[in-house]
Amino acid sequence: MRQVYGVIGNPIGHSLSPAMLEAAFKEVNIDATYVAFEVKEDQLKQAIDGVRGLGISGLNVTIPHKVAVMEYLDEIDPIAERLGAVNTIVRKGNKLIGYNTDGKGYLQALLPILPKSLKEMRVLVLGAGGAAKGVAVTMAMDGVKEMCISNRTVSKAEELAKECSSHTRASSLPIALAQARLTEFDLIVNTTSIGMTPHVDQMPLSLEMIARGVVVSDLIYTPFKTMWLKDAEARGAIIQNGVEMFVNQGAVAFEKWTGVEAPRKVMKKKVMDKLGGMKC
Ligand code: NAP
């Protein structure tokens, strides 16, 4: 029987996940469909009951449900528990198990473009929201040399730095100080939504002080190349947008659902086609 997978979120209309994952199932000859379900916040419990009742095989979870969904699941993977957010639900028999694939997806995207080992790098993370948690904690667990976290709401940066400090040297840094100390960092990651469509003329931090060869990474992929990434590129930085992370977090979810290696090239091509065939 044809399997059903999907993504829940609100809004969900512009999600690239259905096109990307349907292409993946087709490529490896798995008879499955992938549907975007718009689920309002007060309908989350009914939606998860529906997953159980209808025998849906697996789900991705996006804003605003990544935290709230945890209470409706049977088990939470230790990494998702640690991050306090679930973006993937796997059905095992009658159980629904929550995972977080954002951090692993980010790391899989990042490692191939680094000029040296992550363990030798001092990292500045801008933002301390849901995506920042996955990215920062996973990098900390992988053993970066040092990590600083700057966020508009300082208490959230402090909390995230505390979480990371059980794995590496980590601290929160006021944005003005991060700006002043920019030359100290080998990798600067924007996990905020600053610069995302429609606010494309905004930047999370001025890059005037960066050295050539620094890695500047932006989780945003609409626009494909933010004004911040364009500025970084013009200053000689190695840049990466959020497409690779998006593809890899979906690929890791696909592998958890199916046990089959995800066709990452096909998935990326589908995403690029949907984004209009641009290049970073
Ligand atoms: P979130 O939990 O809402 O966090 C948003 C973050 O941005 C917070 O740190 C917030 O600071 C900061 N922020 C927002 N507007 C700001 C402003 N005007 N000035 C200063 N700081 C501001 O959202 P999220 O889920 O982490 O997503 C963040 C970004 O990552 C989005 O652009 C999203 O598209 C992207 N993302 C990409 C991927 C991918 O696969 N490539 C995956 C997940 C997310 P406060 O804490 O002070 O509010």
Side-chain angles (χ1 to χ4, degrees):
M1 201 172 70
R2 186 156 225 225
Q3 297 175 67
V4 179
Y5 292 85
V7 55
I8 56 168
N10 186 25
I12 201 66
H14 293 103
S15 173
L16 298 175
S17 293
M20 177 173 79
L21 283 147
E22 289 234 323
F25 287 123
K26 190 171 170 208
E27 178 67 16
V28 301
N29 293 316
I30 291 178
D31 186 18
T33 189
Y34 185 103
V35 185
F37 297 104
E38 184 177 294
V39 174
K40 298 200 168 58
E41 269 145 304
D42 61 358
Q43 292 171 331
L44 183 59
K45 183 179 181 311
Q46 290 98 311
I48 299 302
D49 286 345
V51 170
R52 294 179 195 280
L54 296 170
I56 288 174
S57 302
L59 275 189
N60 286 131
V61 181
T62 188
I63 292 171
H65 302 310
K66 286 184 177 184
V67 178
V69 78
M70 294 171 80
E71 71 172 287
Y72 304 119
L73 304 179
D74 302 300
E75 279 176 33
I76 309 286
D77 168 73
I79 290 182
E81 188 83 61
R82 178 152 229 167
L83 301 178
V86 157
N87 78 335
T88 300
I89 299 174
V90 177
R91 171 190 289 278
K92 279 207 182 113
N94 291 326
K95 282 189 176 172
L96 296 182
I97 304 169
Y99 293 88
N100 192 309
T101 68
D102 277 342
K104 191 169 178 187
Y106 181 69
L107 215 55
Q108 284 183 357
L110 180 72
L111 295 181
I113 67 152
L114 295 182
K116 57 184 175 185
S117 159
L118 198 53
K119 292 178 177 49
E120 298 168 57
M121 299 187 95
R122 286 165 301 177
V123 181
L124 173 64
V125 175
L126 304 172
K133 278 188 193 169
V135 163
V137 174
T138 309
M139 280 197 289
M141 287 168 79
D142 206 63
V144 296
K145 188 172 178 185
E146 185 183 353
M147 181 180 292
C148 293
I149 299 164
S150 295
N151 191 46
R152 175 178 61 181
T153 309
V154 174
S155 58
K156 283 166 69 180
E158 287 171 349
E159 211 174 292
L160 184 52
K162 195 173 164 206
E163 179 67 38
C164 292
S165 64
S166 47
H167 306 286
T168 191
R169 194 144 66 96
S171 55
S172 77
L173 194 62
I175 293 171
L177 254 186
Q179 185 74 74
R181 288 177 47 191
L182 215 53
T183 50
E184 294 175 21
F185 298 102
D186 307 292
L187 166 64
I188 305 166
V189 189
N190 177 36
T191 74
T192 77
S193 42
I194 301 172
M196 191 165 79
T197 306
H199 306 293
V200 295
D201 55 352
Q202 296 176 2
M203 293 208 239
L205 202 71
S206 162
L207 293 172
E208 262 170 51
M209 307 268 286
I210 57 164
R212 289 187 80 79
V214 165
V215 181
V216 176
S217 159
D218 199 331
L219 267 52
I220 294 171
Y221 51 87
T222 54
F224 194 75
K225 201 186 282 182
T226 55
M227 189 190 265
W228 194 64
L229 276 190
K230 283 182 187 163
D231 187 39
E233 190 175 40
R235 294 176 191 283
I238 298 167
I239 62 165
Q240 185 172 61
N241 71 1
V243 165
E244 293 288 342
M245 172 182 175
F246 177 72
V247 170
N248 281 308
Q249 61 76 33
V252 177
F254 179 93
E255 286 164 355
K256 288 196 180 299
W257 293 328
T258 64
V260 174
E261 188 181 348
R264 285 172 167 73
K265 278 190 186 151
V266 169
M267 293 167 75
K268 183 172 175 188
K269 182 172 183 318
K270 182 55 82 174
V271 171
M272 298 293 281
D273 288 349
K274 285 277 166 190
L275 289 173
M278 292 168 274
K279 287 198 169 65
C280 184

